[in-house]
Amino acid sequence: MKKQHSGRKKGNIKQVLYNLRFSIFAFLFLIVLTVAGIFILRSSLLRNAQVTGISMARNYASEEQGILSAYETLLSFGAASVDQRVQDGNTPEEISQWFDVYYDRLETVLGEGNVEAFIILDGRILTPDGNDMDAVSDIYESDWYQKTLASDGKTIFTNVFLEPDSGKPVVAASQKCRFADAMIVFEIFPETFQFHFTAADFEEGNSYFLCDGAGTLVYSYSDIDRKGAALQQYINSIISKIREGELDNYDSYIIDTDNLKRAVYFTEMENGWFSIVTIPYYNILGSLNFLILLFCLITGFSIVALVVMTWKEMGANAKIERTNETVRVLGNSYFALYRVDYGQNTYEMIKATDYVRSRIPQTGCYDDLLRVMKEVIEPETCDEYMKSFSLENIRSLVSKRVRNFGGEFLRNFNGEYRWVDVRVLFDESLAPEEVVLCFRETNEERLLQLQERRLLQDALEIARKNEQSKQSFFNNMSHDMRTPLNAIIGLSDLAGQHAEDPEKVRAYLDKIGASSKQLLYLINDILDMSRMEQGMLMINPQEFDLRSCVEDCAETFRIQAEEAGKTFLEEISLKNSWVSGDPLRINQILNNLLSNALKFTDKGDTISISVSQLSEGDYGKYKFVIKDTGIGMSAEFLPHLFDPYVRETRFSSRQITGTGLGMTITKSLVVQMNGEISAKSKLGEGTVFTIILPFAAGKSAPDAAGQETPPDKESAHDLLKGKHILLAEDNEINMEITTEILSDNDIRVTQAWNGEEAVEQFERSQLFSFDAILMDMQMPKMDGCEAARRIRALDRPDAAAVPIIAVTANAFAEDIAATAAAGMDSHVSKPIDFEHLRKVLEKLMR
């Protein structure tokens, strides 16, 4: 009987699945047909819109051509009149009197103030007011003048340009006289171009633009909320796509400034001008969009209906055998499953191990199941297990609505004890007075937990050690940073007290400068360490001369060594010195090592640096050796030399400043360059650092004979003298310092207190009045990068040419890259090295 019932259930399920598949297939077929119809209708609407749009563009082009033809007729009449008067022997004064009358009639026809006119006659310019002046050479050299001379009496229309006297945009129309050495010229203002649009042929949202051959906007009729340069930039993008053929297809489109999709239809006029009509897609596809929305709603409703109907049909065959139901829920996760009837004191075996199957039947008394469990459970846990999973305790758990109860114990698997998780699961969907008893092996999870616990303990111990090192580092850093700060504050007070003694003040200022540089080095080390811990210490490869890099770095320390009475030796043996790498990071590595060598040596000691090439080819290896005869390091400290926040503390009487991060940063840089670094040292004998770095050979080594000789300081001063700089800075003290130093070097400064003000100052300035811009990065209202982008985007010739220099306190590689992306030419970091700033200004201004 049970087998027949089960077979009937399976047959019903198969029928439901068959019906469901058929319904889904029919529904999908209907969707495909509907979607195909929508695409065909959409294509038809777009093609019709293209025909209509091109027709509109041509109609408006014809209307505009009629306006231009009227100007052409008036020009032809004027040119013929001038020809006749010249042949009749009229003097220029008589022709000027006639031209005054002609211009009055011209304004009567075209409207007062809509056009300006003049005659070029025998090198003179005759105006309607009777005055004349000699023609300037710019007219003879202009493109439109040359085209008019070569036009054989045809009318020439120019593109839009700025009228020199008024600065207003105009279009010039000119025609040469056939017999006289003269031509007549109209200057037409674009606002005189007017079109007549009606609601019937120009729907709301549509736009019309008339542009000259260069793409300059002559006339627009549009509700797009953009004016001036922003609207012109939008038109430029349309013209560019037209020229590249991207808008020739019926379904091509653009995204306008309001982020709307628009179709573009255009025609090119005889004079090279463009008549452009743009129509939003919602005007073209409005009805289709409604159909698509309606289709989506119907589709959604159909899907919901299909799901509901299927669910109801499935509900009629919902109950499946209890064994299959239990196996589906728990079988994959548990190695043993039992349904326990705590009311009848029975069990039903759903899944079990071979051992249990060999000991008890498929169904039976629950006491027999407990007896078999007792045989495999760890003896120490057995009593607790029997009590926890007795029928009395199961009844108690169910009465309290405890749905999940259990724990872990050790079970014997063929002589090996492994961890097992046992659970009593209760749910109302089960039969009355029934629960599920299930067993899951958790041996690997338990061992993993123990391993993770050990790892956490180890990590905690490492964290404690790091915390101690960091605490020591912060103690040292606090002392080392307070030392130069104390010197700066104290010496500043002394300088104020002895203002009348220039020599003392100068000495105080020199010491303040040295302490400031010391503080800057400390801060740079801390920032580099922070970046290194975040994996953000960047390497920026470029081609450079390794020999020059090492010599320039060593020269600074040679001078310091000589002043301290120490010997400084240098040896460079390179076959190929032009390589690809990061010269700034090479400099940083050598600075750290040579600086330490100076710190840990006494008067009379020797410091040496040698660089040699170990191999040649596309990738060569280079060896750097920095050696000193100083105090050396202890054997106990040497293994911790490159650990962060660690210092040699044996020589406590020797006051050494620094963060203790220099060697850590140095090793990190060497490793990032795929190099190696090692150190040898003995107390009282000195230290030797050896670095092996690979460099790719440079591809374009410069010709030594072609190198420029840097200008001397006096010629550089002459170069900067009288220059005009726009300084954008929001900090009052920084503004005062920078302005003062630039002014002392005969440089004129215009101040801007934020990025927005800098853009406004540049917009209001005369063309090419600023020779350079110094742009702070972090300012209120508008930051430096955005201000630079705005200036570069201005429609004026000096916007792209003026040098823009970033002045930033964030001197990391990604910050420098951001300034370059914003269109800046160079950068200087804060605090400003004014000698470096001077060199940057020289280079860019040259």
Side-chain angles (χ1 to χ4, degrees):
M1 191 71 177
K2 287 186 177 179
K3 289 183 178 180
Q4 293 177 355
H5 183 64
S6 177
R8 199 161 46 244
K9 288 181 178 177
K10 292 179 180 178
N12 291 338
I13 293 173
K14 287 183 179 180
Q15 183 63 38
V16 170
L17 293 176
Y18 174 79
N19 294 339
L20 177 61
R21 283 195 295 267
F22 179 79
S23 299
I24 291 175
F25 176 78
F27 184 68
L28 290 178
F29 181 72
L30 179 62
I31 290 178
V32 170
L33 288 179
T34 306
V35 171
I38 289 174
F39 272 106
I40 293 172
L41 180 58
R42 180 181 183 275
S43 177
S44 177
L45 289 173
L46 289 175
R47 290 180 188 276
N48 292 337
Q50 185 186 36
V51 173
T52 303
I54 292 176
S55 176
M56 291 171 64
R58 288 175 178 171
N59 289 340
Y60 297 134
S62 297
E63 185 177 343
E64 178 56 30
Q65 192 63 51
I67 297 173
L68 297 180
S69 296
Y71 285 118
E72 186 174 350
T73 300
L74 293 171
L75 275 171
S76 298
F77 173 77
S81 298
V82 172
D83 260 335
Q84 184 63 46
R85 280 164 174 71
V86 171
Q87 289 179 349
D88 292 344
N90 287 12
T91 65
E93 288 73 18
E94 291 172 330
I95 292 176
S96 178
Q97 291 175 3
W98 165 83
F99 188 52
D100 191 25
V101 175
Y102 170 78
Y103 184 70
D104 287 342
R105 294 175 180 174
L106 195 65
E107 287 195 322
T108 301
V109 174
L110 300 177
E112 186 175 352
N114 288 334
V115 66
E116 293 184 358
F118 60 88
I119 299 173
I120 301 176
L121 176 65
D122 295 331
R124 299 170 62 185
I125 297 179
L126 305 181
T127 59
D129 56 7
N131 297 323
D132 66 280
M133 58 183 179
D134 292 335
V136 295
S137 60
D138 289 348
I139 291 180
Y140 299 123
E141 296 172 359
S142 65
D143 182 57
W144 65 265
Y145 180 80
Q146 298 299 328
K147 287 183 178 179
T148 305
L149 288 179
S151 66
D152 193 24
K154 294 181 180 180
T155 303
I156 299 299
F157 288 92
T158 71
N159 292 328
V160 178
F161 64 92
L162 295 179
E163 203 279 326
D165 294 334
S166 65
K168 293 181 178 181
V170 297
V171 174
S174 57
Q175 183 174 329
K176 181 180 178 299
C177 297
R178 290 186 176 276
F179 305 107
D181 182 15
M183 67 174 64
I184 185 166
V185 183
F186 289 173
E187 288 187 347
I188 308 166
F189 297 102
E191 54 265 25
T192 63
F193 294 101
Q194 297 294 330
F195 295 86
H196 303 288
F197 300 103
T198 64
D201 60 2
F202 212 77
E203 192 173 355
E204 182 179 356
N206 295 358
S207 298
Y208 176 73
F209 304 102
L210 177 66
C211 306
D212 65 17
T216 305
L217 186 62
V218 177
Y219 174 82
S220 68
Y221 180 86
S222 174
D223 58 359
I224 293 179
D225 188 19
R226 292 292 186 276
K227 303 295 181 185
L231 182 57
Q232 183 61 57
Q233 185 176 3
Y234 170 61
I235 296 301
N236 289 342
S237 68
I238 295 178
I239 295 295
S240 175
K241 292 181 182 294
I242 289 175
R243 295 188 191 280
E244 293 174 4
E246 296 181 16
L247 300 177
D248 293 343
N249 295 332
Y250 73 93
D251 58 349
S252 57
Y253 62 88
I254 63 169
I255 302 299
D256 67 10
T257 57
D258 297 324
N259 207 30
L260 293 177
K261 185 185 291 187
R262 286 179 173 268
V264 179
Y265 311 111
F266 60 91
T267 186
E268 187 172 359
M269 299 167 58
E270 293 179 2
N271 62 346
W273 290 14
F274 289 94
S275 175
I276 302 171
V277 173
T278 70
I279 302 177
Y281 260 45
Y282 63 77
N283 279 353
I284 301 174
L285 305 176
S287 57
L288 179 63
N289 291 336
F290 173 76
L291 290 176
I292 292 174
L293 178 60
L294 182 61
F295 169 71
C296 291
L297 290 175
I298 293 174
T299 302
F301 176 78
S302 300
I303 292 173
V304 173
L306 181 63
V307 170
V308 171
M309 290 173 63
T310 303
W311 179 261
K312 287 183 177 180
E313 191 171 355
M314 292 291 288
N317 303 277
K319 290 197 174 183
I320 303 174
E321 306 163 347
R322 293 191 304 164
T323 303
N324 291 336
E325 175 187 306
T326 307
V327 171
R328 186 168 58 252
V329 176
L330 302 172
N332 294 331
S333 301
Y334 296 91
F335 67 82
L337 295 167
Y338 304 90
R339 294 190 73 139
V340 177
D341 187 331
Y342 57 86
Q344 300 294 327
N345 189 22
T346 59
Y347 72 88
E348 180 182 354
M349 184 187 300
I350 307 300
K351 187 179 182 181
T353 63
D354 292 341
Y355 177 81
V356 174
R357 287 183 181 276
S358 67
R359 303 282 293 172
I360 56 176
Q362 191 77 18
T363 60
C365 178
Y366 182 65
D367 293 336
D368 294 336
L369 178 61
L370 289 178
R371 175 178 50 79
V372 174
M373 293 295 169
K374 189 174 183 179
E375 296 174 1
V376 295
I377 296 175
E378 180 188 30
E380 296 179 0
T381 316
C382 189
D383 292 340
E384 183 180 355
Y385 177 90
M386 295 300 163
K387 180 179 179 181
S388 299
F389 296 95
S390 65
L391 291 178
E392 292 77 15
N393 194 50
I394 291 176
R395 290 192 189 93
S396 175
L397 293 172
V398 172
S399 66
K400 296 176 182 177
R401 316 298 291 176
V402 176
R403 299 179 179 275
N404 190 331
F405 172 79
E408 290 184 324
F409 65 93
L410 285 170
R411 182 193 187 279
N412 189 338
F413 288 91
N414 298 323
E416 178 187 2
Y417 280 100
R418 300 174 65 86
W419 287 99
V420 170
D421 180 67
V422 57
R423 293 283 149 186
V424 171
L425 304 177
F426 162 72
D427 192 89
E428 287 82 356
S429 62
L430 297 171
E433 296 187 326
E434 277 196 359
V435 295
V436 174
L437 183 64
C438 48
F439 298 84
R440 181 171 63 92
E441 186 176 338
T442 59
N443 196 63
E444 292 183 2
E445 296 177 13
R446 189 64 180 265
L447 294 178
L448 182 60
Q449 289 176 357
L450 295 174
Q451 183 181 1
E452 289 176 349
R453 184 177 299 174
R454 285 194 297 269
L455 290 174
L456 288 173
Q457 290 173 345
D458 293 342
L460 180 60
E461 183 62 26
I462 293 173
R464 286 172 180 166
K465 291 181 179 179
N466 282 342
E467 186 63 28
Q468 293 173 357
S469 298
K470 284 190 177 183
Q471 187 61 43
S472 174
F473 158 72
F474 284 121
N475 290 338
N476 291 331
M477 183 187 69
S478 175
H479 170 268
D480 289 343
M481 293 186 74
R482 288 176 182 274
T483 299
L485 278 174
N486 182 64
I488 293 169
I489 295 171
L491 290 168
S492 299
D493 290 340
L494 290 174
Q497 296 171 13
H498 298 85
E500 73 286 347
D501 188 341
E503 292 187 5
K504 282 189 176 182
V505 171
R506 188 176 297 107
Y508 293 149
L509 291 177
D510 289 341
K511 294 175 181 178
I512 289 172
S515 297
S516 300
K517 290 180 180 178
Q518 179 185 340
L519 185 59
L520 180 60
Y521 294 151
L522 294 172
I523 293 172
N524 284 340
D525 273 356
I526 295 168
L527 292 177
D528 271 349
M529 187 62 189
S530 174
R531 285 297 170 112
M532 186 182 73
E533 290 181 342
Q534 298 176 40
M536 298 173 66
L537 203 58
M538 305 297 292
I539 301 295
N540 298 300
Q542 57 183 281
E543 293 191 1
F544 71 102
D545 186 350
L546 180 59
R547 182 186 299 275
S548 298
C549 176
V550 174
E551 288 175 348
D552 292 345
C553 178
E555 185 60 28
T556 302
F557 292 98
R558 182 196 308 280
I559 295 171
Q560 297 180 27
E562 290 175 355
E563 291 176 350
K566 304 174 184 179
T567 301
F568 190 93
L569 303 177
E570 176 183 343
E571 181 182 356
I572 302 177
S573 176
L574 302 177
K575 294 182 180 179
N576 302 318
S577 65
W578 193 254
V579 298
S580 177
D582 190 337
L584 294 178
R585 294 305 186 185
I586 298 296
N587 213 307
Q588 186 176 0
I589 291 171
L590 297 180
N591 276 340
N592 282 341
L593 297 177
L594 290 173
S595 175
N596 281 346
L598 279 173
K599 287 180 185 178
F600 296 103
T601 51
D602 295 321
K603 185 175 182 180
D605 282 335
T606 299
I607 302 164
S608 67
I609 176 174
S610 67
V611 184
S612 59
Q613 186 169 344
L614 302 180
S615 62
E616 299 182 53
D618 293 339
Y619 288 90
K621 285 191 176 183
Y622 294 77
K623 181 179 179 181
F624 301 77
V625 179
I626 292 86
K627 183 178 181 181
D628 67 71
T629 59
I631 61 176
M633 290 176 280
S634 64
E636 295 82 7
F637 174 73
L638 200 57
H640 304 286
L641 173 62
F642 298 109
D643 292 347
Y645 316 115
V646 177
R647 284 180 171 177
E648 170 69 277
T649 57
R650 173 166 295 198
F651 299 96
S652 58
S653 61
R654 189 180 187 92
Q655 297 298 319
I656 300 298
T657 59
T659 59
L661 299 176
M663 296 311 302
T664 306
I665 296 169
T666 297
K667 182 173 183 179
S668 176
L669 292 173
V670 170
V671 171
Q672 285 196 63
M673 295 180 185
N674 298 317
E676 303 172 8
I677 183 171
S678 61
K680 295 181 180 180
S681 184
K682 286 186 179 181
L683 286 175
E685 296 183 13
T687 303
V688 179
F689 284 96
T690 303
I691 299 174
I692 307 294
L693 288 176
F695 291 115
K699 297 180 180 178
S700 55
D703 183 3
Q707 292 180 349
E708 294 185 2
T709 302
D712 57 28
K713 190 171 181 180
E714 187 62 33
S715 64
H717 176 76
D718 293 339
L719 177 65
L720 298 180
K721 187 175 181 179
K723 297 297 183 182
H724 187 191
I725 288 181
L726 175 60
L727 174 60
E729 171 63 66
D730 65 312
N731 183 276
E732 186 174 351
I733 295 177
N734 290 342
M735 177 71 85
E736 180 182 356
I737 293 172
T738 308
T739 301
E740 186 71 21
I741 293 179
L742 291 175
S743 299
D744 288 345
N745 285 276
D746 298 321
I747 297 173
R748 190 156 52 98
V749 178
T750 295
Q751 297 178 342
W753 294 92
N754 55 63
E756 186 177 284
E757 187 176 332
V759 176
E760 293 173 355
Q761 291 269 25
F762 190 85
E763 282 184 303
R764 292 197 301 264
S765 68
Q766 295 293 324
L767 289 177
F768 297 100
S769 62
F770 288 114
D771 297 291
I773 300 174
L774 296 184
M775 186 74 73
D776 185 29
M777 288 298 93
Q778 295 184 355
M779 295 184 289
K781 294 188 178 180
M782 185 186 295
D783 62 33
C785 286
E786 180 62 24
R789 281 191 287 268
R790 295 281 182 91
I791 290 174
R792 291 298 190 213
L794 292 176
D795 186 17
R796 46 187 286 169
D798 57 345
V802 62
I804 303 179
I805 302 168
V807 181
T808 174
N810 301 329
F812 297 112
E814 58 268 32
D815 302 309
I816 296 170
T819 64
M824 303 195 198
D825 301 286
S826 186
H827 75 280
V828 294
S829 58
K830 293 181 180 179
I832 298 175
D833 181 342
F834 284 95
E835 181 63 20
H836 175 64
L837 174 61
R838 179 183 63 78
K839 292 180 180 178
V840 172
L841 288 172
E842 293 170 22
K843 177 181 177 181
L844 294 177
M845 289 183 182
R846 283 180 183 275

